Amino acid sequence: MVEIRSVVVEPPRRFVPRRSDNRIVINVGGVRHETFKTTLMAIPDTRLAWLSQSGNISCAEYDPHNNEYFFDRHPGAFAMIINYYRTGKLHCPMDLCGPLFE
């Protein structure tokens, strides 16, 4: 007598990357900053919050070739601004003057 066993082989699981549609790239003065759109929406009715809304890809700052927004501003100051969006607190190094944030 021959015993027959059945073996169920599952196909390998496909790697499903995290959805990147919540991420946004903002190039400020040649430095690329990547963050989440939800971070930019933390302070509504601001220029950065508007970028996070769908349909704003046609704005003048958007570069479709690099899939990023470009602003000709001080990149170090922008790092402080994006941290303000993240934490709600503005920390300004002594080497940056206040008018850079205007």
Side-chain angles (χ1 to χ4, degrees), residues 2 20 46 53 57 59-61 67 70 85 87 96 98 102:
V2 176
S20 63
T46 60
Q53 297 170 354
I57 290 180
C59 76
E61 294 86 5
N67 193 30
F70 178 78
Y85 275 74
T87 65
L96 291 179
E102 295 177 359

Side-chain angles (χ1 to χ4, degrees), residues 49-67:
W50 297 334
L51 295 180
S52 65
Q53 297 170 354
S54 61
N56 282 334
I57 290 180
S58 62
C59 76
E61 294 86 5
Y62 183 71
D63 178 1
H65 178 69
N66 293 322
N67 193 30

